[in-house]
Amino acid sequence: MDTFIAANRLNWDDRARLHSSDTTGSYRIEEVLAGSDSLHAIEAGEIGDVAGKTLIHLQCHIGLDTISLAGRGAIATSLDFSPEAIAAARDFARRAGRDVSFVQADVYDAPAALGETYDVAFVSWGTVTWLPDIFRWAGVVGALLKPGGFLYFADTHPCAAALEQIDGRLVPHYQWRTPKDGPLSFDETSTYTGDARPLTHGRSYNWIHALSDIVSGLAEAGLTLEWLHEHERLPSRLFPMMVPAKERGMFRLPDRVPRFPLSFSLRAVKRT
Ligand SMILES: C[S@@+](CC[C@H](N)C(=O)[O-])C[C@H]1O[C@@H](n2cnc3c(N)ncnc32)[C@H](O)[C@@H]1O
C-alpha cells in the first residue's frame, strides 16, 4: 500500500475507534440507531427517493449515513478502507436492525472488491480529500453505476479548502490543486469531534481537487451532470470563526465575512 494511504488508514482506524464510542455526541449514534436520520439538511433535501434502489456508499466511515439511507428504503452496501470503521458500522447496522452489506476496501479497489453495479452511488463530506487521483476516483464511480444510475456527491468546496484562518482573517494558504505525489500533511493530536482522547496516529495526508477536475473526471467516466449546487454552509467547523447555522449540525461564516461557497453538491447520471 502507498505510504500516504497506509498512514491515512492508521489515522482513520484511530478516529473510527474514537468516533464509534463518541463522547461528544457529535455523531448522535444512539439517536440514529433509534431511527433518527443522520443526513444533514443539504443531502436530505437533495438525495431524492432511494427506496428500492441498490445503493453503494463510498467511504462510509462508521456507517451511520448508510443506516439512514437503508432506513429510507435503499438496498445499501457500504465501503471503507478502515477495518475499525467497518467493524463499528456492522455493529451499528445490527443494533439498528438494518440489513446493510459492508465491505472493507480502498476506494480505488471498489469495482473489483464489490463486483456489482448500483442504481445510486452516495459520497459525502470528507471523502475525495483522502484520495490522490480525482480522475481515477471518477472512473471508479462510473464503473460502479448501472446505466441510468446516479451519483449524489456533497463535500467541502475546494475554494474554501484552500483557505486558512490566520490572525482572524481567511487567507489563501494552499494550492488549489494538490499534486498526487505531494500531498498536504497534517499532524493532529486529537480528532475533529472535540473528543479529548488522543490520536495514536496523528499524521494524515490530504489532497485538494479542483471543482473542474471533479466535474470533468465524472464526464470522462461516462456521467452527465444534472445539477451542481454551491452552499454557504458545511457540517464541520472548517475555520474556528464559523458559527452554528440554523440547520442542526451545520456551520456558516460569521456575518462580518463576505459570503462565498463553503460546500457544493451535485447529481450526475451514468449515460446509457
Ligand atoms: C470523513 S469520513 C467520511 C464520513 C462519511 N461522510 C460518513 O458517512 O460518516 C472519511 C472516510 O473515508 C475513509 N477513507 C479514507 N481514505 C480512503 C480510501 N482510500 N479508501 C476507502 N476509504 C477511505 C476513512 O476511513 C473514513 O471513514
Side-chain angles (χ1 to χ4, degrees):
M1 193 191 293
D2 176 291
T3 47
F4 300 135
I5 304 300
N8 283 350
R9 202 178 103 171
L10 290 173
N11 180 264
W12 275 109
D13 276 342
D14 272 12
R15 289 184 201 268
R17 257 192 301 273
L18 299 177
H19 298 169
S20 58
S21 57
D22 192 12
T23 55
T24 63
S26 45
Y27 276 96
R28 299 170 45 231
I29 293 171
E30 293 308 323
E31 275 178 64
V32 176
L33 299 193
S36 190
D37 199 314
S38 68
L39 300 189
H40 298 90
I42 292 177
E43 61 272 27
E46 293 178 336
I47 180 73
D49 185 8
V50 293
K53 293 189 163 70
T54 56
L55 178 148
I56 179 66
H57 181 190
L58 296 177
Q59 297 180 249
C60 66
H61 196 39
I62 54 174
L64 299 174
D65 282 359
T66 329
I67 290 167
S68 297
L69 291 160
R72 290 166 174 245
I75 303 155
T77 302
S78 232
L79 179 140
D80 200 284
F81 75 166
S82 158
E84 294 283 347
I86 289 293
R90 278 204 182 104
D91 177 51
F92 290 149
R94 184 188 52 74
R95 284 163 57 189
R98 298 289 178 210
D99 187 15
V100 177
S101 305
F102 291 99
V103 175
Q104 188 225 314
D106 190 284
V107 165
Y108 292 137
D109 300 329
L114 295 162
E116 285 192 44
T117 52
Y118 300 86
D119 300 319
V120 183
F122 181 88
V123 186
S124 74
W125 308 122
T127 53
V128 295
T129 190
W130 301 101
L131 306 177
D133 187 334
I134 197 65
F135 286 89
R136 196 169 161 206
W137 168 81
V140 166
V141 171
L144 291 175
L145 284 173
K146 293 179 181 167
F150 73 88
L151 165 70
Y152 177 80
F153 180 53
D155 218 326
T156 304
H157 201 293
C159 291
L163 305 180
E164 275 287 6
Q165 179 175 332
I166 297 171
D167 296 334
R169 294 176 64 86
L170 296 178
V171 292
H173 193 71
Y174 305 107
Q175 301 291 345
W176 67 310
R177 279 194 175 97
T178 313
K180 284 187 205 109
D181 54 357
L184 306 173
S185 69
F186 296 94
D187 289 297
E188 290 166 291
T189 52
S190 60
T191 189
Y192 50 79
T193 58
D195 196 318
R197 292 174 291 171
L199 288 171
T200 312
H201 303 93
R203 168 61 63 98
S204 68
Y205 298 96
N206 277 222
W207 290 264
I208 296 174
H209 302 293
L211 191 51
S212 53
D213 290 347
I214 295 171
V215 171
S216 302
L218 292 170
E220 274 180 27
L223 281 78
T224 299
L225 184 66
E226 281 205 331
W227 48 254
L228 186 148
H229 298 153
E230 295 175 292
H231 311 276
E232 293 178 4
R233 52 213 203 285
L234 195 60
S236 62
R237 208 174 219 135
L238 182 61
F239 311 117
M241 65 165 62
M242 287 170 69
V243 296
K246 63 176 184 308
E247 301 95 344
R248 182 177 180 165
M250 302 297 286
F251 297 87
R252 64 172 177 83
L253 293 167
D255 292 335
R256 67 182 167 83
V257 174
R259 305 269 84 84
F260 63 88
L262 295 173
S263 62
F264 73 101
S265 54
L266 64 81
R267 178 175 152 119
V269 178
K270 174 83 181 284
R271 290 190 286 276
T272 48

